[in-house]
Amino acid sequence: MEKITGKAEKILVFLMHQDRDKIWDLSIHRQKRSLSQNSYYWQLLGKTAAALKIGRAELHNRMLRDYGQIQWIDGHPVTVEIPDTDKAEEMALKADTFHIKPTDQIIEKGGQTYRVYIMLRGSHEYNTWEMSVLLNGMVQEAENVGIETMTPKELEELREYEEKHHHK
Protein backbone atom coordinates (compact mmCIF):
# COMPACT_ATOMS: atom_id res chain seq x y z
CA MET A 1 0.00 0.00 0.00
CA GLU A 2 1.41 3.35 -1.03
CA LYS A 3 0.93 6.26 1.32
CA ILE A 4 2.09 9.84 1.12
CA THR A 5 1.80 12.67 3.59
CA GLY A 6 2.67 16.21 2.67
CA LYS A 7 1.51 19.62 1.57
CA ALA A 8 -0.57 20.06 -1.58
CA GLU A 9 2.36 20.75 -3.93
CA LYS A 10 4.25 17.62 -2.84
CA ILE A 11 1.13 15.48 -3.25
CA LEU A 12 0.33 16.94 -6.68
CA VAL A 13 3.87 16.23 -7.93
CA PHE A 14 3.62 12.68 -6.57
CA LEU A 15 0.23 12.07 -8.20
CA MET A 16 1.41 13.41 -11.58
CA HIS A 17 3.87 10.51 -11.74
CA GLN A 18 1.32 7.81 -10.87
CA ASP A 19 -0.76 5.50 -13.03
CA ARG A 20 -3.81 7.54 -14.13
CA ASP A 21 -6.13 4.56 -13.50
CA LYS A 22 -5.25 4.26 -9.80
CA ILE A 23 -7.79 5.51 -7.29
CA TRP A 24 -6.45 7.41 -4.26
CA ASP A 25 -7.93 8.30 -0.87
CA LEU A 26 -7.11 11.77 0.39
CA SER A 27 -7.63 13.13 3.88
CA ILE A 28 -6.53 16.16 5.83
CA HIS A 29 -3.67 15.42 8.19
CA ARG A 30 -4.27 16.65 11.71
CA GLN A 31 -1.88 16.41 14.61
CA LYS A 32 -2.74 13.71 17.13
CA ARG A 33 -4.01 15.02 20.43
CA SER A 34 -1.29 16.17 22.76
CA LEU A 35 -0.37 14.47 26.00
CA SER A 36 -0.90 17.79 27.81
CA GLN A 37 -4.46 18.05 26.52
CA ASN A 38 -5.12 14.45 27.46
CA SER A 39 -3.62 14.80 30.92
CA TYR A 40 -5.57 17.98 31.66
CA TYR A 41 -8.81 16.39 30.42
CA TRP A 42 -8.44 13.34 32.70
CA GLN A 43 -7.43 15.53 35.65
CA LEU A 44 -10.57 17.63 35.28
CA LEU A 45 -12.70 14.56 34.60
CA GLY A 46 -11.54 12.91 37.83
CA LYS A 47 -12.26 16.00 39.92
CA THR A 48 -15.65 16.54 38.26
CA ALA A 49 -16.67 12.89 38.64
CA ALA A 50 -15.81 13.04 42.34
CA ALA A 51 -17.82 16.25 42.76
CA LEU A 52 -20.81 14.66 40.99
CA LYS A 53 -20.32 11.39 42.91
CA ILE A 54 -20.27 9.29 39.73
CA GLY A 55 -17.63 7.03 38.19
CA ARG A 56 -14.97 8.33 35.83
CA ALA A 57 -16.12 5.97 33.04
CA GLU A 58 -19.68 7.25 33.31
CA LEU A 59 -18.64 10.89 33.15
CA HIS A 60 -16.27 10.15 30.26
CA ASN A 61 -19.12 8.50 28.35
CA ARG A 62 -21.39 11.46 29.06
CA MET A 63 -18.66 13.82 27.82
CA LEU A 64 -18.16 11.78 24.64
CA ARG A 65 -21.92 11.77 24.05
CA ASP A 66 -21.99 15.57 24.29
CA TYR A 67 -18.62 16.52 22.76
CA GLY A 68 -17.22 13.37 21.15
CA GLN A 69 -16.72 12.15 17.61
CA ILE A 70 -18.79 9.57 15.74
CA GLN A 71 -17.14 6.40 14.41
CA TRP A 72 -17.57 6.27 10.62
CA ILE A 73 -16.99 3.41 8.16
CA ASP A 74 -17.30 4.04 4.42
CA GLY A 75 -19.14 7.30 5.02
CA HIS A 76 -21.73 5.78 7.37
CA PRO A 77 -21.93 6.06 11.15
CA VAL A 78 -21.42 2.77 12.97
CA THR A 79 -24.55 1.81 14.88
CA VAL A 80 -25.50 -0.93 17.32
CA GLU A 81 -28.85 -2.06 18.63
CA ILE A 82 -29.20 -2.87 22.31
CA PRO A 83 -32.28 -3.66 24.39
CA ASP A 84 -34.19 -0.50 25.23
CA THR A 85 -34.00 -0.97 29.00
CA ASP A 86 -32.71 1.07 31.92
CA LYS A 87 -30.23 -1.72 32.73
CA ALA A 88 -28.77 -1.68 29.19
CA GLU A 89 -28.48 2.13 29.24
CA GLU A 90 -26.75 2.00 32.65
CA MET A 91 -24.27 -0.60 31.34
CA ALA A 92 -23.60 1.56 28.26
CA LEU A 93 -22.93 4.63 30.42
CA LYS A 94 -20.52 2.76 32.70
CA ALA A 95 -18.62 0.95 29.92
CA ASP A 96 -14.96 1.74 29.52
CA THR A 97 -14.17 -0.43 26.49
CA PHE A 98 -16.73 1.10 24.14
CA HIS A 99 -18.62 4.38 23.83
CA ILE A 100 -22.15 4.66 22.42
CA LYS A 101 -24.75 7.40 22.20
CA PRO A 102 -28.50 6.67 22.11
CA THR A 103 -30.63 7.85 19.21
CA ASP A 104 -34.40 8.28 19.00
CA GLN A 105 -34.64 5.25 16.72
CA ILE A 106 -36.47 2.23 18.21
CA ILE A 107 -36.65 -1.19 16.54
CA GLU A 108 -38.96 -4.09 17.38
CA LYS A 109 -37.53 -7.61 16.87
CA GLY A 110 -39.16 -10.81 18.04
CA GLY A 111 -41.27 -9.03 20.63
CA GLN A 112 -38.23 -7.22 22.07
CA THR A 113 -37.68 -3.44 21.84
CA TYR A 114 -34.19 -2.24 20.88
CA ARG A 115 -32.72 1.24 20.75
CA VAL A 116 -30.22 2.21 18.07
CA TYR A 117 -26.99 3.68 19.43
CA ILE A 118 -24.26 5.45 17.47
CA MET A 119 -20.72 4.24 18.14
CA LEU A 120 -18.33 6.98 19.31
CA ARG A 121 -14.58 7.03 18.84
CA GLY A 122 -12.42 6.79 21.93
CA SER A 123 -10.59 10.02 22.78
CA HIS A 124 -7.22 8.26 22.36
CA GLU A 125 -7.88 8.49 18.59
CA TYR A 126 -8.55 12.25 18.59
CA ASN A 127 -6.48 14.86 16.82
CA THR A 128 -5.71 18.19 18.50
CA TRP A 129 -8.88 19.90 17.21
CA GLU A 130 -11.18 17.04 18.29
CA MET A 131 -9.49 16.89 21.68
CA SER A 132 -9.88 20.67 22.04
CA VAL A 133 -13.65 20.31 21.55
CA LEU A 134 -13.79 17.59 24.22
CA LEU A 135 -11.49 19.48 26.59
CA ASN A 136 -13.45 22.73 26.22
CA GLY A 137 -16.61 20.80 27.09
CA MET A 138 -14.88 19.26 30.10
CA VAL A 139 -13.74 22.69 31.28
CA GLN A 140 -17.34 23.95 31.07
CA GLU A 141 -18.67 20.93 32.99
CA ALA A 142 -15.96 21.32 35.67
CA GLU A 143 -16.73 25.02 36.07
CA ASN A 144 -20.43 24.19 36.39
CA VAL A 145 -19.68 22.20 39.57
CA GLY A 146 -17.25 24.81 40.95
CA ILE A 147 -13.92 23.23 40.01
CA GLU A 148 -11.02 25.61 39.33
CA THR A 149 -9.91 25.43 35.70
CA MET A 150 -7.48 27.19 33.41
CA THR A 151 -8.68 30.46 31.96
CA PRO A 152 -9.53 30.56 28.23
CA LYS A 153 -6.28 32.51 27.74
CA GLU A 154 -4.26 29.81 29.52
CA LEU A 155 -5.95 27.11 27.43
CA GLU A 156 -5.15 29.05 24.24
CA GLU A 157 -1.53 29.42 25.34
CA LEU A 158 -1.37 25.66 26.00
CA ARG A 159 -2.83 24.93 22.55
CA GLU A 160 -0.39 27.32 20.86
CA TYR A 161 2.54 25.83 22.77
CA GLU A 162 1.49 22.31 21.72
CA GLU A 163 1.11 23.32 18.07
CA LYS A 164 4.48 25.10 18.04
CA HIS A 165 6.33 22.19 19.62
CA HIS A 166 4.46 19.46 17.69
CA HIS A 167 5.57 20.88 14.33
CA LYS A 168 9.29 20.89 15.14
Side-chain angles (χ1 to χ4, degrees):
M1 176 168 86
E2 295 178 68
K3 181 178 175 183
I4 183 169
T5 301
K7 295 184 179 177
E9 185 176 323
K10 178 182 176 185
I11 293 172
L12 287 172
V13 169
F14 171 80
L15 290 173
M16 290 179 64
H17 295 92
Q18 300 303 308
D19 179 350
R20 302 273 189 229
D21 293 328
K22 278 187 181 178
I23 296 175
W24 295 88
D25 289 324
L26 181 66
S27 62
I28 296 173
H29 176 76
R30 293 203 165 115
Q31 291 297 113
K32 190 163 172 38
R33 66 160 170 61
S34 74
L35 295 179
S36 296
Q37 284 178 308
N38 189 54
S39 176
Y40 187 50
Y41 171 79
W42 286 101
Q43 178 186 15
L44 286 180
L45 185 125
K47 290 178 180 179
T48 305
L52 294 171
K53 297 180 177 30
I54 62 174
R56 287 169 47 112
E58 180 176 345
L59 182 57
H60 182 52
N61 281 311
R62 290 182 185 277
M63 295 304 300
L64 291 177
R65 286 180 177 189
D66 290 343
Y67 305 100
Q69 303 297 316
I70 295 172
Q71 179 70 57
W72 295 86
I73 295 179
D74 293 333
H76 300 282
V78 177
T79 60
V80 294
E81 300 163 7
I82 65 171
D84 191 27
T85 64
D86 291 340
K87 182 179 178 184
E89 169 60 6
E90 183 180 336
M91 287 179 67
L93 266 176
K94 293 182 178 181
D96 60 3
T97 57
F98 62 90
H99 312 288
I100 56 178
K101 178 179 182 173
T103 68
D104 292 335
Q105 189 177 357
I106 302 290
I107 295 173
E108 298 284 337
K109 283 188 193 174
Q112 175 82 27
T113 304
Y114 294 85
R115 181 169 301 275
V116 176
Y117 282 70
I118 295 173
M119 184 72 63
L120 301 169
R121 293 177 29 233
S123 61
H124 66 279
E125 298 178 6
Y126 287 9
N127 61 41
T128 53
W129 179 83
E130 292 166 333
M131 194 65 195
S132 289
V133 170
L134 182 61
L135 181 55
N136 288 341
M138 187 70 257
V139 167
Q140 188 65 47
E141 297 296 324
E143 288 174 349
N144 287 345
V145 295
I147 292 171
E148 183 71 30
T149 63
M150 289 183 180
T151 65
K153 184 177 188 303
E154 291 168 325
L155 283 172
E156 179 64 20
E157 287 170 357
L158 175 63
R159 188 188 62 74
E160 287 174 3
Y161 174 83
E162 292 294 340
E163 285 181 6
K164 184 184 289 183
H165 289 83
H166 251 67
H167 294 311
K168 287 188 176 181

